[in-house]
Amino acid sequence: MKRILLFFVFLLCVVLTQAAENYPYRSDYLWVTVPDHADWLYQCGEKATVEVQFYKYGVPRNGVVEWEVGTDLLPADQKGTVNLKNGRAKIQMGTAKKPSFRDLRLKMTLDGVTYEHHVKVGFSADKIQPFTKEPKDFWQFWQQNLEEAKKFPLNYTKEYVKEMSNSKVDAWRLKISLDRERHSFYAYLLMPKGAKPGSCPVVLTPPGAGVKPIRDATTRRFYPESGFIRMALDIHGLNPTLSEEVFAEIRAAFDNKGNAYLRQGLEDRNLYYMKHVYLGLVRCIDLLTSLPEWDGRNVIMQGGSQGGALALIGTALDSRVTLCVANHPALSDMAAGSANLTSGYPHFTKESGAYSDACMKTLPYYDVVNFARHIKVPVYMTWGYNDNTCPPTTSYAVWNVLAGPKESLLTPINEHWTSDATDRGQMEWMRKHLK
């Protein structure tokens, strides 16, 4: 196993679309938090100390910092204050008795404005195990459903998209029929222009959570420009040419509680919304491997957040997949919240009804950790420690049950995002591992 650790003390440029990050774009202020272990990792029983620094306009500022510490995504169990001197102070976070992540949450009011920040450190992170157990008939359930899905013939439409194509890339918009229930996926398929038969690896990229257009079809154009065929998916059967106004209306009508589809039908494992989504990944691989340009060997799953979860799930379900790349996977150890433990996105609550007896019977059949146990091909995972959407606790829960070849890129300071360099590095990792 190969681990690549990146420790950033300063981060001044971040993804603009993330509104609740530690380092907002073009901000006048900067927090710097430096754990006394460079990799932000400790053993249970070791005490963690974090140096806190605060700057405005690059100038150290003094003031009173209110702080609290709690286990990853859980309520605080320690609180206090500390005075910054020359813009600096040290806070004793203490330790953890069990493998876990602890979160130091900071707040400071300066010139009438309150600034917040947080930093997480891990304790015996390599020993974190999921709360979720695998049902005895887990694999039987999915094999039976896969056999049933095979009875529906591959059927799709294909439309050339001139505005997405250029001198190096041809793009098509697809509508893929999934089953007799009339479920479908839309997708964009990008291919190297003039690709010869049998020349291209294929990459399937499921989307992050939400009801929205397919947003990364052209932002990852470097894949087809580098010789890969890439399919970027929507999982809701909504035409990506619809306007954002129409998508907003659909979200308001269908999904007004925020990705509520992830709760829909959870009382019955056969009626859960994500069932046709998981099975549909295999249908997409059917399509990709039917293309004459496919090299006949390499099938790669790749995605982040919900897409990272689906990448791992598709890898487990389909033996044709040869490589998997996943960023901070969602849908991981989802039932842990029922025991007041750190749970993965979508962070079900008792109020949601997701921890009823019926739902608790369904959740393990759809949890990433149980698919990860069955993956045998190489996996490359990336996650950050400061992520509150897909917390590091659940990423480690997935990572620690992967039994096959695996490599990780750990970016401690990252929240729910990856850099352009990381995204391109993932493609290079794929290239190095092609058959």
Side-chain angles (χ1 to χ4, degrees), residues 30-32 51-56 59-63 65 83-90 108:
L30 176 68
W31 289 94
V32 178
E51 182 180 53
V52 176
Q53 304 172 27
F54 187 89
Y55 302 86
K56 191 168 185 181
V59 178
R61 297 297 298 267
N62 295 335
V65 174
N83 291 310
L84 295 182
K85 296 181 179 180
N86 297 318
R88 299 180 178 226
K90 290 186 177 182
M108 177 170 167

Side-chain angles (χ1 to χ4, degrees), residues 117-260:
H117 189 74
H118 79 120
V119 59
K120 300 182 190 181
V121 300
F123 294 88
S124 299
D126 59 333
K127 294 181 174 61
I128 291 173
Q129 290 295 310
F131 168 83
T132 302
K133 306 300 181 184
E134 182 175 329
K136 292 181 179 179
D137 64 342
F138 173 83
W139 200 240
Q140 179 184 6
F141 171 77
W142 285 108
Q143 289 299 313
Q144 288 175 345
N145 280 286
L146 287 169
E147 289 300 318
E148 185 64 26
K150 287 179 182 178
K151 297 177 183 178
F152 188 77
L154 177 63
N155 183 25
Y156 65 97
T157 61
K158 183 178 179 182
E159 177 186 4
Y160 190 73
V161 185
K162 184 177 180 180
E163 61 270 24
M164 285 189 175
S165 304
N166 60 24
S167 61
K168 296 181 179 180
V169 177
D170 283 322
W172 285 269
R173 185 165 43 249
L174 309 178
K175 183 179 181 181
I176 308 163
S177 298
L178 302 181
D179 52 40
R180 292 181 177 84
E181 305 300 323
R182 301 185 68 181
H183 291 121
S184 62
F185 287 164
Y186 276 89
Y188 284 110
L189 181 69
L190 278 73
M191 299 177 59
K193 187 177 287 291
K196 296 179 180 179
S199 64
C200 300
V202 294
V203 180
L204 177 60
T205 303
V211 178
K212 57 194 177 186
I214 303 170
R215 290 175 175 162
D216 72 341
T218 56
T219 57
R220 302 292 187 272
R221 198 190 298 275
F222 54 83
Y223 275 89
E225 290 177 350
S226 301
F228 292 84
I229 295 172
R230 183 171 183 268
M231 181 189 289
L233 286 182
D234 153 75
I235 62 169
H236 301 296
L238 298 173
N239 193 318
T241 64
L242 296 173
S243 68
E244 181 52 47
E245 290 76 14
V246 172
F247 269 97
E249 290 177 350
I250 293 170
R251 282 193 294 271
F254 164 65
D255 205 36
N256 63 342
K257 292 185 179 179
N259 301 332

Side-chain angles (χ1 to χ4, degrees), residues 130-135 138-139 142 262 272 274 278 281 303-317 324 326-335 344-346 348 362-375 379 381 390 394-403:
F131 168 83
T132 302
K133 306 300 181 184
E134 182 175 329
F138 173 83
W139 200 240
W142 285 108
L262 292 168
Y272 184 39
M274 297 302 285
Y278 289 15
L281 300 172
S305 194
Q306 176 185 266
L310 295 176
L312 290 159
I313 289 162
T315 300
L317 287 177
C324 178
N327 305 329
H328 40 253
L331 314 181
S332 302
D333 215 13
M334 293 180 284
Y345 186 87
F348 289 127
T362 298
L363 276 171
Y365 291 93
Y366 290 88
D367 199 291
V368 171
V369 297
N370 287 334
F371 289 92
R373 301 179 203 274
H374 294 270
I375 294 176
V379 174
M381 267 184 63
C390 296
T394 59
S395 286
Y396 268 102
V398 173
W399 174 258
N400 289 340
V401 301
L402 286 169

Side-chain angles (χ1 to χ4, degrees), residues 265-269 353-364:
L266 190 57
E267 287 79 5
D268 188 327
R269 66 179 186 176
Y355 297 143
S356 68
D357 290 344
C359 292
M360 288 291 285
K361 290 179 180 178
T362 298
L363 276 171

Side-chain angles (χ1 to χ4, degrees), residues 17 29 69 77 91 121 173 175-176 191 198 201 214 218 282 320 327 375 404 411 429 434:
T17 55
Y29 76 91
V69 177
D77 49 52
I91 297 175
V121 300
R173 185 165 43 249
K175 183 179 181 181
I176 308 163
M191 299 177 59
I214 303 170
T218 56
V282 176
R320 291 171 293 184
N327 305 329
I375 294 176
T411 55
W429 181 88
L434 293 176

